[in-house]
Amino acid sequence: MDNKDIIYLDHAATVPMRPEAITAMSAALADVWGNASAIYSAGSRAKRQLERARASLAATIGADPSEIYFTSGGTEGDNWALTAAMELYSGRHLIITAIEHHAVLHTAEYLKTRGFDVTLLTPDSTGYIPPDAVYEAIRPDTALISVMMANNEVGTIEPVAEIGRIARDRHILFHTDAVQAYGKIPIDVRAAGVDLLSVSAHKIGGPKGIGFLYIKKNMPFGAYMHGGMQEKGRRAGTENVPSAVGFAAAAEAVFAERESSQARELGLQKFFLRRLREEIPDVELNGPEPEENTGAEDRYGTGSRRRLANNLNVRFPGVNSETLLILLDMQGICASGGSACTTGAINPSHVLTAMGKTQEEARESVRFTFGPENTEEELERTVQAVKEITGRLKKLN
Ligand code: PLP
């Protein structure tokens, strides 16, 4: 099936590249092939483009350009933040949550083998991490707290600003994985009190294989990647200028439209859930109930349970999600049974089970995530397809 014929509802896994990013990146691939570290004009042209991209990305999170370090994506940013922070400070204790992406969870597992202690916080039944739980987990030797800004499976928005305040008061470093939140909820690194923040380009319609890690000024981090002096000597390797240019172009387009996209996605989310509930009465929502479209700007840190506007994670009791997803795919509808990284694995979602769902309930759950190109008409077709398939599968039980 051609890409143009599919209904793509898996934007949390990846987002099709935005035309602005393709145009900017294609031009850069042709024009800025010089090595950004070289002193001749082809090099300095590449360097200028790289720094322009860095400055543009820094502005999206209220950071200084000198605080933005290009990475290969969210996984690298998470690995870098956790390992560098833990190895730097004398504290032996790390606090993370049970619903982090595997890029954080598996890095914490690795750090355990290096002698560090890890506390895994469990969320409430909506996937929310109460700031009090973070506060209570702090020990005299806690070096780092890492809590994601929004969850990739259920879209729950975490109280990052409150957690940042707690971390700052106790002089503990704070990292947040903002891979899913970036471009969707406003981020101000100073207001949120974060020291480290990871982002990935392909989740906002930029190219795959690039992201950035925000490292607050004056953090005494050494080299993460050893070699040349690129990225101020902290991450060696010839810079990927065309991807940085494509990333910045995607971010500029996304941020220019952020408020209207948000309102549109909230509308789609409400419509889709209402129609699913009308047509499939036993459907259950995983995570917080979608909110009314209030247009409220400060959408993080207020302590209420909210979810990203483009996410609906639902359970169809008595229906195996793997089978449902395969049958949906045969009709050109792409969704996911958890995070993309665990698709194919038999294990039920670690996020849903941490929220108190049974393994069986987790295996009956599907994640739909919308994007700029989706329409109500596509969602209505999806509701009809899900209704027909779940009806058929339930009869077989
Ligand atoms: N963190 C979160 C919350 C994610 O959703 C993902 C991707 O699924 C990652 C990290 C990893 O990002 P990347 O694919 O750029 O390595």
Side-chain angles (χ1 to χ4, degrees), residues 205-379:
K208 289 170 184 58
I210 189 160
F212 69 73
L213 178 65
Y214 157 80
I215 305 178
K216 194 175 168 182
K217 222 174 258 182
N218 300 328
M219 291 262 280
F221 276 15
Y224 171 65
M225 198 80 94
H226 303 272
M229 287 310 291
Q230 293 92 349
E231 302 298 297
K232 298 209 290 300
R234 285 176 163 175
R235 184 186 186 264
T238 302
E239 300 91 336
N240 183 354
V241 181
S243 290
V245 168
F247 182 9
E252 283 158 21
V254 163
F255 278 81
E257 294 165 5
R258 202 189 58 72
E259 280 175 48
S260 55
S261 312
Q262 166 85 11
R264 198 171 162 278
E265 284 172 2
L266 279 170
L268 290 177
Q269 187 184 48
K270 242 171 95 176
F271 170 80
F272 193 36
L273 185 58
R274 177 173 62 76
R275 291 293 297 130
L276 280 173
R277 283 175 168 159
E278 282 167 2
E279 298 293 335
I280 310 164
D282 65 348
V283 68
E284 278 174 22
L285 178 68
N286 295 321
E289 193 69 27
E291 63 197 290
E292 289 302 311
N293 179 8
T294 59
E297 250 313 290
D298 179 20
R299 299 173 55 78
Y300 66 97
T302 63
S304 59
R305 313 288 194 269
R306 283 160 313 163
R307 74 190 302 149
L308 293 176
N310 80 330
N311 171 298
L312 267 191
N313 191 311
V314 284
R315 172 178 168 236
F316 301 105
V319 174
N320 178 284
S321 64
E322 294 276 329
T323 316
L324 172 60
L325 290 171
I326 292 166
L327 294 173
L328 281 174
D329 179 42
M330 287 168 69
Q331 298 191 32
I333 299 171
C334 311
S336 156
S339 68
C341 312
T342 52
T343 300
I346 313 292
N347 294 338
S349 148
H350 68 280
V351 174
L352 294 173
T353 49
M355 286 161 55
K357 305 286 170 201
T358 63
Q359 300 214 346
E360 172 102 16
E361 287 168 339
R363 287 202 181 93
E364 296 171 341
S365 297
V366 176
R367 176 187 75 182
F368 297 98
T369 43
F370 340 114
E373 78 285 2
N374 293 128
T375 60
E376 276 195 5
E377 195 255 320
E378 285 182 326
L379 295 181

Side-chain angles (χ1 to χ4, degrees), residues 12-14 71-78 99-104 148-153 177-181 198-203 207-211 339-341 367:
T14 197
T71 62
S72 61
T75 301
E76 183 182 329
D78 289 346
I99 58 166
E100 296 297 315
H101 188 268
H102 284 119
V104 167
M148 67 202 323
M149 196 168 270
N151 181 265
N152 46 308
E153 293 194 31
D177 173 337
V179 168
Q180 294 290 338
S198 5
V199 165
S200 175
H202 74 98
K203 307 287 186 180
K208 289 170 184 58
I210 189 160
S339 68
C341 312
R367 176 187 75 182

Side-chain angles (χ1 to χ4, degrees), residues 85-86 89-94 141-145 171-173:
M86 293 309 290
Y89 291 94
S90 53
R92 309 296 293 168
H93 182 228
L94 163 68
D141 63 346
T142 304
L144 177 70
I145 298 168
H171 305 289
I172 297 166
L173 289 180

Side-chain angles (χ1 to χ4, degrees), residues 17 21-34 240-243 245-246:
M17 266 186 80
I22 295 175
T23 306
M25 189 169 168
S26 308
L29 280 166
D31 296 340
V32 278
W33 43 263
N240 183 354
V241 181
S243 290
V245 168

